[in-house]
Amino acid sequence: MNFKPHDGSSCHRASSRSPLPSADARPSFFGRVYAAIMKTREADAQRQMARLLRQSGGRLTDDMERRFSEHLLGGGNFRLN
């Protein structure tokens, strides 16, 4: 087995491509479907947050923030006291 000292010329970082696609690259079909689904889910979550904030009287407190998180992440019911 021959061992050759590393001189840095064949460094992985220098030889690899950027992990991010270029601006000209078009996403795949499934990439576009995934992006559309995520955009829809984000818009739905924002609508729910706005509705819940209106129901709470417009005040965003730590307790309301916790309830929002439980509702959006846990799928639980949102109840005002």
Side-chain angles (χ1 to χ4, degrees):
M1 183 162 128
N2 294 336
F3 177 74
K4 182 179 175 185
H6 180 64
D7 63 357
S9 63
S10 63
C11 180
H12 173 70
R13 290 183 194 148
S15 64
S16 67
R17 295 186 310 148
S18 172
L20 299 175
S22 67
D24 298 336
R26 183 176 174 188
S28 68
F29 171 75
F30 292 111
R32 292 190 309 268
V33 169
Y34 178 78
I37 290 170
M38 295 310 293
K39 187 176 180 179
T40 301
R41 289 184 63 152
E42 182 180 350
D44 184 47
Q46 289 177 353
R47 281 191 300 271
Q48 287 182 27
M49 291 290 288
R51 179 180 54 84
L52 297 174
L53 191 57
R54 281 192 306 271
Q55 286 178 352
S56 71
R59 291 190 56 168
L60 183 60
T61 62
D62 289 340
D63 182 51
M64 291 304 296
E65 206 171 320
R66 179 185 54 80
R67 290 181 187 192
F68 289 161
S69 295
E70 288 175 357
H71 176 72
L72 294 174
L73 298 176
N77 293 330
F78 184 80
R79 288 182 242 140
L80 295 173
N81 291 340

Coordinates of all heavy atoms in Angstrom, one line a residue:
M1 N 0.8 -1.2 0.0 CA 0.0 0.0 0.0 C 0.9 1.2 0.0 O 1.7 1.4 0.9 CB -0.9 0.0 1.2 CG -1.8 1.1 1.3 SD -3.1 0.7 2.4 CE -3.1 2.1 3.5
N2 N 0.7 2.1 -1.0 CA 1.5 3.3 -1.1 C 0.7 4.4 -0.4 O -0.5 4.6 -0.6 CB 1.7 3.7 -2.5 CG 2.6 2.7 -3.2 OD1 3.4 2.0 -2.5 ND2 2.5 2.6 -4.5
F3 N 1.4 5.2 0.4 CA 0.8 6.3 1.1 C 1.4 7.6 0.5 O 2.7 7.8 0.5 CB 1.1 6.3 2.6 CG 0.6 7.5 3.3 CD1 -0.8 7.6 3.5 CD2 1.4 8.4 3.8 CE1 -1.3 8.7 4.2 CE2 0.9 9.5 4.5 CZ -0.4 9.7 4.7
K4 N 0.6 8.5 0.1 CA 1.0 9.8 -0.5 C 0.5 10.9 0.4 O -0.7 10.9 0.7 CB 0.5 9.9 -1.9 CG 0.9 11.2 -2.6 CD 0.4 11.3 -4.0 CE 0.7 12.6 -4.6 NZ 0.1 12.7 -5.9
P5 N 1.4 11.7 0.9 CA 0.9 12.8 1.8 C -0.1 13.7 1.0 O 0.1 14.0 -0.2 CB 2.2 13.6 2.1 CG 3.3 12.8 1.6 CD 2.8 11.8 0.7
H6 N -1.0 14.2 1.8 CA -2.0 15.1 1.2 C -1.5 16.5 1.0 O -0.9 17.1 1.9 CB -3.2 15.2 2.2 CG -4.3 16.1 1.7 ND1 -5.0 15.8 0.5 CD2 -4.9 17.2 2.2 CE1 -6.0 16.7 0.4 NE2 -5.9 17.6 1.3
D7 N -1.5 17.0 -0.2 CA -1.0 18.3 -0.5 C -2.0 19.4 -0.6 O -1.7 20.6 -0.9 CB -0.1 18.3 -1.8 CG -0.9 17.9 -3.0 OD1 -2.1 17.6 -2.9 OD2 -0.3 17.9 -4.1
G8 N -3.3 19.0 -0.5 CA -4.4 20.0 -0.6 C -4.9 20.3 -2.0 O -5.9 21.0 -2.1
S9 N -4.2 19.8 -3.0 CA -4.7 20.1 -4.3 C -5.9 19.3 -4.7 O -6.7 19.8 -5.6 CB -3.6 19.8 -5.3 OG -3.3 18.4 -5.3
S10 N -6.2 18.2 -4.1 CA -7.4 17.4 -4.4 C -8.4 17.4 -3.3 O -9.0 16.5 -3.0 CB -7.0 16.0 -4.8 OG -6.4 15.4 -3.6
C11 N -8.4 18.5 -2.6 CA -9.3 18.7 -1.5 C -10.8 18.5 -1.9 O -11.2 19.0 -3.0 CB -9.1 20.1 -0.9 SG -10.1 20.4 0.6
H12 N -11.5 17.9 -1.1 CA -13.0 17.6 -1.4 C -13.7 18.9 -1.7 O -14.5 19.0 -2.6 CB -13.6 16.8 -0.3 CG -15.1 16.6 -0.5 ND1 -15.6 15.9 -1.5 CD2 -16.1 17.2 0.2 CE1 -16.9 15.9 -1.4 NE2 -17.3 16.7 -0.4
R13 N -13.4 19.9 -0.8 CA -14.1 21.2 -0.9 C -13.8 21.8 -2.3 O -14.7 22.5 -2.9 CB -13.8 22.1 0.2 CG -14.3 21.6 1.5 CD -14.0 22.6 2.6 NE -14.3 22.0 3.9 CZ -13.6 22.3 5.0 NH1 -12.6 23.1 4.9 NH2 -13.9 21.7 6.1
A14 N -12.6 21.8 -2.7 CA -12.2 22.4 -3.9 C -12.8 21.7 -5.2 O -13.1 22.3 -6.2 CB -10.7 22.5 -4.0
S15 N -13.0 20.4 -5.1 CA -13.4 19.6 -6.3 C -14.9 19.4 -6.3 O -15.4 19.0 -7.4 CB -12.7 18.3 -6.3 OG -13.1 17.5 -5.2
S16 N -15.6 19.6 -5.3 CA -17.0 19.3 -5.3 C -17.8 20.5 -5.8 O -17.4 21.6 -5.6 CB -17.5 18.9 -3.9 OG -17.4 20.0 -3.0
R17 N -19.0 20.2 -6.3 CA -19.9 21.3 -6.8 C -20.6 21.8 -5.6 O -20.7 21.2 -4.5 CB -20.9 20.7 -7.8 CG -20.3 20.2 -9.0 CD -21.4 19.8 -10.0 NE -22.4 18.9 -9.4 CZ -23.6 18.9 -9.8 NH1 -24.1 19.7 -10.7 NH2 -24.5 18.0 -9.2
S18 N -21.2 23.0 -5.7 CA -22.0 23.6 -4.7 C -23.3 22.7 -4.5 O -23.9 22.2 -5.5 CB -22.4 25.0 -5.1 OG -23.4 25.5 -4.2
P19 N -23.7 22.4 -3.3 CA -24.9 21.6 -3.1 C -26.2 22.3 -3.5 O -27.2 21.6 -3.7 CB -24.9 21.3 -1.6 CG -24.1 22.4 -1.0 CD -23.1 22.8 -2.0
L20 N -26.1 23.6 -3.6 CA -27.3 24.3 -4.1 C -27.4 24.4 -5.6 O -26.4 24.6 -6.2 CB -27.3 25.7 -3.4 CG -27.3 25.8 -1.9 CD1 -27.2 27.2 -1.5 CD2 -28.6 25.1 -1.3
P21 N -28.6 24.2 -6.1 CA -28.7 24.3 -7.6 C -28.5 25.8 -8.0 O -28.7 26.7 -7.3 CB -30.1 23.9 -7.9 CG -30.9 24.0 -6.6 CD -29.9 23.9 -5.5
S22 N -28.1 25.9 -9.2 CA -27.9 27.3 -9.8 C -29.2 27.9 -10.0 O -30.3 27.3 -10.0 CB -27.1 27.2 -11.1 OG -27.9 26.6 -12.1
A23 N -29.2 29.3 -10.1 CA -30.5 30.0 -10.3 C -31.2 29.6 -11.6 O -32.4 29.7 -11.7 CB -30.2 31.5 -10.3
D24 N -30.4 29.1 -12.6 CA -31.0 28.7 -13.9 C -31.6 27.3 -13.8 O -32.4 27.0 -14.7 CB -29.9 28.7 -15.0 CG -29.3 30.1 -15.1 OD1 -30.0 31.1 -14.8 OD2 -28.2 30.2 -15.6
A25 N -31.3 26.5 -12.8 CA -31.8 25.2 -12.8 C -33.3 25.2 -12.4 O -33.7 25.8 -11.5 CB -31.0 24.3 -11.8
R26 N -34.0 24.4 -13.2 CA -35.5 24.3 -12.9 C -35.7 23.1 -12.0 O -35.2 22.0 -12.2 CB -36.2 24.1 -14.2 CG -37.7 24.1 -14.0 CD -38.4 24.0 -15.3 NE -39.8 23.8 -15.1 CZ -40.7 23.5 -16.1 NH1 -40.3 23.4 -17.3 NH2 -41.9 23.4 -15.8
P27 N -36.5 23.3 -10.9 CA -36.7 22.1 -10.0 C -37.5 21.0 -10.8 O -38.2 21.2 -11.7 CB -37.6 22.7 -8.9 CG -37.7 24.2 -9.2 CD -37.2 24.5 -10.5
S28 N -37.3 19.8 -10.2 CA -38.0 18.7 -10.8 C -39.5 18.8 -10.6 O -40.0 19.6 -9.9 CB -37.4 17.4 -10.2 OG -37.8 17.3 -8.9
F29 N -40.2 17.9 -11.3 CA -41.7 17.8 -11.1 C -42.0 17.7 -9.6 O -42.9 18.4 -9.1 CB -42.3 16.7 -11.9 CG -43.7 16.5 -11.7 CD1 -44.7 17.3 -12.2 CD2 -44.1 15.4 -10.9 CE1 -46.0 17.2 -11.9 CE2 -45.5 15.2 -10.6 CZ -46.4 16.1 -11.1
F30 N -41.4 16.7 -9.0 CA -41.7 16.4 -7.6 C -41.3 17.6 -6.7 O -41.9 17.9 -5.7 CB -41.2 15.1 -7.1 CG -41.8 13.9 -7.8 CD1 -41.2 13.2 -8.7 CD2 -43.1 13.6 -7.5 CE1 -41.8 12.1 -9.4 CE2 -43.8 12.6 -8.1 CZ -43.1 11.8 -9.0
G31 N -40.2 18.2 -7.1 CA -39.7 19.4 -6.3 C -40.8 20.5 -6.4 O -41.0 21.2 -5.4
R32 N -41.4 20.7 -7.6 CA -42.4 21.7 -7.7 C -43.7 21.4 -7.0 O -44.3 22.2 -6.4 CB -42.7 22.0 -9.2 CG -41.5 22.6 -9.9 CD -41.9 23.1 -11.4 NE -42.6 22.1 -12.2 CZ -42.0 21.2 -13.0 NH1 -40.7 21.3 -13.1 NH2 -42.7 20.4 -13.7
V33 N -44.0 20.1 -7.0 CA -45.2 19.6 -6.2 C -45.0 19.8 -4.7 O -45.9 20.4 -4.0 CB -45.5 18.1 -6.5 CG1 -46.6 17.6 -5.6 CG2 -46.0 18.0 -8.0
Y34 N -43.8 19.5 -4.3 CA -43.5 19.6 -2.8 C -43.5 21.1 -2.5 O -44.1 21.5 -1.4 CB -42.1 19.0 -2.5 CG -41.7 19.2 -1.1 CD1 -42.2 18.4 -0.1 CD2 -40.8 20.2 -0.8 CE1 -41.8 18.5 1.2 CE2 -40.4 20.4 0.6 CZ -40.9 19.5 1.5 OH -40.5 19.7 2.8
A35 N -43.0 22.0 -3.3 CA -43.0 23.4 -3.0 C -44.4 24.0 -2.9 O -44.7 24.8 -2.1 CB -42.1 24.2 -4.0
A36 N -45.2 23.5 -3.9 CA -46.6 24.0 -3.9 C -47.4 23.5 -2.6 O -48.1 24.3 -2.0 CB -47.3 23.5 -5.1
I37 N -47.1 22.3 -2.2 CA -47.8 21.8 -1.0 C -47.3 22.6 0.2 O -48.1 23.0 1.1 CB -47.5 20.3 -0.8 CG1 -48.2 19.5 -1.9 CG2 -47.9 19.8 0.6 CD1 -47.8 18.0 -1.9
M38 N -46.0 22.8 0.3 CA -45.5 23.5 1.5 C -46.0 25.0 1.5 O -46.3 25.5 2.5 CB -44.0 23.5 1.5 CG -43.4 22.1 1.7 SD -44.1 21.2 3.1 CE -43.5 22.2 4.4
K39 N -46.1 25.6 0.3 CA -46.7 27.0 0.2 C -48.1 27.0 0.7 O -48.5 27.9 1.4 CB -46.5 27.5 -1.2 CG -46.9 28.9 -1.4 CD -46.6 29.4 -2.8 CE -47.0 30.8 -3.0 NZ -46.7 31.3 -4.4
T40 N -48.9 26.0 0.3 CA -50.3 25.9 0.7 C -50.4 25.7 2.2 O -51.3 26.4 2.8 CB -51.0 24.8 -0.1 OG1 -50.9 25.0 -1.5 CG2 -52.5 24.7 0.3
R41 N -49.6 24.9 2.7 CA -49.6 24.6 4.2 C -49.3 25.9 5.0 O -49.8 26.2 6.0 CB -48.7 23.4 4.6 CG -49.3 22.1 4.1 CD -48.4 21.0 4.5 NE -48.5 21.0 6.0 CZ -48.3 19.9 6.7 NH1 -48.1 18.7 6.1 NH2 -48.3 20.0 8.0
E42 N -48.2 26.6 4.5 CA -47.8 27.8 5.2 C -48.9 28.9 5.1 O -49.2 29.5 6.1 CB -46.5 28.3 4.5 CG -46.0 29.6 5.2 CD -44.7 30.1 4.6 OE1 -44.2 29.4 3.7 OE2 -44.4 31.2 4.9
A43 N -49.6 29.0 4.0 CA -50.6 30.0 3.9 C -51.8 29.6 4.8 O -52.4 30.5 5.4 CB -51.1 30.1 2.4
D44 N -52.1 28.3 4.9 CA -53.2 27.9 5.8 C -52.8 28.1 7.2 O -53.7 28.6 8.0 CB -53.4 26.4 5.5 CG -54.6 25.9 6.4 OD1 -55.7 26.5 6.4 OD2 -54.4 24.8 7.0
A45 N -51.6 27.9 7.6 CA -51.2 28.1 9.0 C -51.2 29.6 9.3 O -51.7 30.0 10.4 CB -49.7 27.6 9.2
Q46 N -50.9 30.5 8.3 CA -50.9 31.9 8.6 C -52.4 32.4 8.7 O -52.7 33.2 9.5 CB -50.3 32.7 7.4 CG -48.8 32.5 7.4 CD -48.1 33.2 6.3 OE1 -48.7 33.7 5.3 NE2 -46.8 33.2 6.3
R47 N -53.3 31.8 7.9 CA -54.7 32.1 8.1 C -55.3 31.7 9.4 O -56.0 32.4 10.1 CB -55.5 31.5 6.9 CG -55.5 32.2 5.6 CD -56.5 31.7 4.6 NE -56.3 30.3 4.4 CZ -55.6 29.8 3.4 NH1 -54.9 30.6 2.6 NH2 -55.5 28.5 3.2
Q48 N -54.9 30.5 9.9 CA -55.3 30.0 11.2 C -54.8 30.9 12.3 O -55.5 31.3 13.2 CB -54.8 28.6 11.4 CG -55.6 27.6 10.6 CD -55.1 26.2 10.9 OE1 -54.6 25.9 12.0 NE2 -55.2 25.3 10.0
M49 N -53.5 31.3 12.2 CA -52.9 32.2 13.2 C -53.6 33.5 13.2 O -53.9 34.1 14.3 CB -51.4 32.5 12.9 CG -50.6 31.2 13.1 SD -50.4 30.8 14.8 CE -49.3 32.1 15.3
A50 N -54.0 34.1 12.1 CA -54.7 35.4 12.1 C -56.1 35.2 12.7 O -56.5 36.1 13.5 CB -54.8 35.9 10.6
R51 N -56.7 34.1 12.4 CA -58.1 33.9 12.9 C -58.0 33.7 14.4 O -58.8 34.4 15.2 CB -58.7 32.6 12.3 CG -60.1 32.3 12.8 CD -60.7 31.1 12.2 NE -59.8 29.9 12.3 CZ -59.8 29.1 13.4 NH1 -60.5 29.3 14.4 NH2 -58.9 28.1 13.4
L52 N -57.1 33.0 14.9 CA -56.9 32.8 16.4 C -56.5 34.0 17.1 O -57.0 34.3 18.2 CB -55.9 31.7 16.6 CG -56.3 30.3 16.1 CD1 -55.2 29.3 16.3 CD2 -57.6 29.8 16.8
L53 N -55.7 34.8 16.5 CA -55.3 36.1 17.1 C -56.5 37.1 17.2 O -56.7 37.8 18.2 CB -54.2 36.7 16.3 CG -53.5 37.9 16.9 CD1 -52.9 37.6 18.3 CD2 -52.4 38.4 16.0
R54 N -57.3 37.1 16.1 CA -58.6 37.9 16.2 C -59.5 37.4 17.3 O -60.1 38.2 18.0 CB -59.3 37.9 14.8 CG -58.7 38.8 13.8 CD -59.7 38.9 12.6 NE -60.1 37.6 12.0 CZ -59.4 37.0 11.1 NH1 -58.3 37.5 10.6 NH2 -59.9 35.8 10.6
Q55 N -59.6 36.1 17.5 CA -60.5 35.6 18.5 C -60.0 35.9 19.9 O -60.7 36.0 20.8 CB -60.6 34.1 18.4 CG -61.4 33.6 17.3 CD -61.4 32.0 17.2 OE1 -60.7 31.4 17.9 NE2 -62.2 31.5 16.3
S56 N -58.6 36.1 20.0 CA -58.1 36.4 21.4 C -58.1 37.9 21.7 O -57.6 38.3 22.7 CB -56.6 35.9 21.4 OG -55.8 36.7 20.6
G57 N -58.6 38.7 20.8 CA -58.7 40.1 21.0 C -57.5 40.9 20.5 O -57.4 42.0 20.8
G58 N -56.7 40.2 19.8 CA -55.5 40.9 19.2 C -54.3 41.0 20.0 O -53.3 41.5 19.6
R59 N -54.3 40.4 21.2 CA -53.2 40.5 22.1 C -52.4 39.2 22.0 O -52.9 38.1 22.1 CB -53.6 40.7 23.5 CG -54.2 42.0 23.8 CD -54.4 42.3 25.2 NE -53.1 42.1 25.9 CZ -52.9 42.5 27.1 NH1 -53.8 43.0 27.8 NH2 -51.7 42.3 27.7
L60 N -51.1 39.3 21.7 CA -50.2 38.1 21.6 C -49.4 38.0 22.9 O -48.5 38.8 23.1 CB -49.3 38.2 20.4 CG -48.4 37.0 20.1 CD1 -49.2 35.8 19.9 CD2 -47.5 37.3 18.9
T61 N -49.8 37.1 23.7 CA -49.1 36.9 25.0 C -48.3 35.6 24.9 O -48.5 34.8 24.0 CB -50.0 36.9 26.2 OG1 -50.9 35.8 26.0 CG2 -50.8 38.2 26.3
D62 N -47.5 35.3 25.9 CA -46.8 34.0 25.9 C -47.8 32.8 26.0 O -47.6 31.8 25.3 CB -45.9 33.9 27.1 CG -44.7 34.8 27.0 OD1 -44.4 35.2 25.9 OD2 -44.1 35.1 28.1
D63 N -48.9 33.0 26.7 CA -49.9 31.9 26.8 C -50.5 31.7 25.4 O -50.7 30.6 25.0 CB -50.9 32.3 27.8 CG -52.0 31.2 28.0 OD1 -51.6 30.1 28.2 OD2 -53.2 31.6 27.9
M64 N -50.9 32.8 24.7 CA -51.5 32.7 23.4 C -50.5 32.0 22.4 O -50.9 31.2 21.6 CB -51.9 34.0 22.9 CG -53.1 34.6 23.6 SD -54.5 33.5 23.7 CE -54.9 33.4 22.0
E65 N -49.2 32.4 22.5 CA -48.2 31.8 21.7 C -48.1 30.3 21.9 O -48.0 29.5 21.0 CB -46.9 32.5 21.9 CG -46.0 32.4 20.7 CD -44.7 33.3 21.0 OE1 -44.9 34.4 21.6 OE2 -43.7 32.9 20.6
R66 N -48.2 29.9 23.2 CA -48.2 28.5 23.5 C -49.4 27.7 22.9 O -49.3 26.7 22.4 CB -48.1 28.3 25.0 CG -48.1 26.8 25.5 CD -48.2 26.7 27.0 NE -49.3 27.4 27.6 CZ -50.5 26.9 27.6 NH1 -50.8 25.8 27.0 NH2 -51.5 27.6 28.2
R67 N -50.5 28.4 23.1 CA -51.8 27.7 22.5 C -51.7 27.6 21.0 O -52.2 26.6 20.5 CB -53.0 28.6 23.0 CG -53.3 28.5 24.4 CD -54.5 29.3 24.8 NE -54.7 29.3 26.2 CZ -55.8 29.8 26.7 NH1 -56.8 30.2 25.9 NH2 -56.0 29.8 28.0
F68 N -51.2 28.7 20.4 CA -51.0 28.6 18.9 C -50.2 27.4 18.5 O -50.5 26.7 17.6 CB -50.4 29.9 18.4 CG -51.3 31.1 18.4 CD1 -50.7 32.3 18.3 CD2 -52.6 31.0 18.5 CE1 -51.4 33.5 18.4 CE2 -53.4 32.1 18.6 CZ -52.8 33.4 18.5
S69 N -49.0 27.3 19.2 CA -48.1 26.2 18.9 C -48.8 24.8 19.1 O -48.7 23.9 18.3 CB -46.9 26.2 19.8 OG -46.2 27.4 19.5
E70 N -49.5 24.7 20.2 CA -50.2 23.4 20.5 C -51.3 23.1 19.4 O -51.4 22.0 18.9 CB -50.9 23.5 21.8 CG -49.9 23.4 23.0 CD -50.6 23.6 24.3 OE1 -51.9 23.8 24.4 OE2 -49.9 23.4 25.3
H71 N -52.0 24.2 19.0 CA -53.0 24.0 18.0 C -52.5 23.7 16.6 O -52.9 22.7 16.0 CB -53.9 25.3 17.9 CG -54.9 25.3 16.8 ND1 -56.0 24.5 16.9 CD2 -55.0 25.9 15.6 CE1 -56.8 24.7 15.8 NE2 -56.1 25.5 15.0
L72 N -51.4 24.4 16.2 CA -50.9 24.2 14.9 C -50.0 22.9 14.8 O -50.1 22.2 13.8 CB -50.1 25.4 14.4 CG -50.9 26.6 14.2 CD1 -50.0 27.8 13.9 CD2 -51.9 26.5 13.1
L73 N -49.3 22.6 15.8 CA -48.4 21.4 15.7 C -49.1 20.2 16.2 O -48.8 19.1 15.7 CB -47.1 21.7 16.6 CG -46.3 22.8 16.1 CD1 -45.1 23.0 17.0 CD2 -45.8 22.6 14.7
G74 N -50.0 20.3 17.2 CA -50.6 19.1 17.8 C -51.9 18.8 17.3 O -52.5 17.8 17.5
G75 N -52.5 19.7 16.5 CA -53.8 19.5 15.9 C -54.9 19.6 17.0 O -56.0 19.1 16.7
G76 N -54.6 20.2 18.1 CA -55.6 20.3 19.2 C -56.6 21.3 18.9 O -56.5 22.1 18.0
N77 N -57.6 21.3 19.8 CA -58.6 22.4 19.7 C -58.1 23.6 20.4 O -57.4 23.6 21.4 CB -59.9 21.9 20.4 CG -60.5 20.7 19.6 OD1 -60.4 20.6 18.4 ND2 -61.2 19.9 20.4
F78 N -58.5 24.8 19.8 CA -58.2 26.0 20.4 C -59.4 26.6 21.2 O -60.4 26.8 20.6 CB -57.8 27.0 19.3 CG -57.3 28.3 19.8 CD1 -56.0 28.4 20.3 CD2 -58.1 29.4 19.9 CE1 -55.5 29.6 20.8 CE2 -57.6 30.6 20.3 CZ -56.3 30.7 20.8
R79 N -59.2 26.8 22.5 CA -60.2 27.3 23.3 C -59.7 28.5 24.1 O -58.7 28.5 24.6 CB -60.7 26.2 24.3 CG -61.5 25.1 23.7 CD -61.9 24.1 24.7 NE -61.2 22.9 24.3 CZ -60.7 22.0 25.2 NH1 -60.8 22.3 26.4 NH2 -60.1 20.9 24.7
L80 N -60.5 29.5 24.1 CA -60.3 30.7 24.9 C -60.9 30.5 26.2 O -62.0 30.0 26.3 CB -60.8 32.0 24.2 CG -60.1 32.3 22.9 CD1 -60.8 33.5 22.3 CD2 -58.6 32.7 23.1
N81 N -60.3 31.0 27.3 CA -60.9 30.9 28.6 C -62.0 31.9 28.8 O -62.2 32.8 28.3 CB -59.8 31.1 29.7 CG -58.8 30.0 29.7 OD1 -59.1 28.9 29.2 ND2 -57.7 30.3 30.2

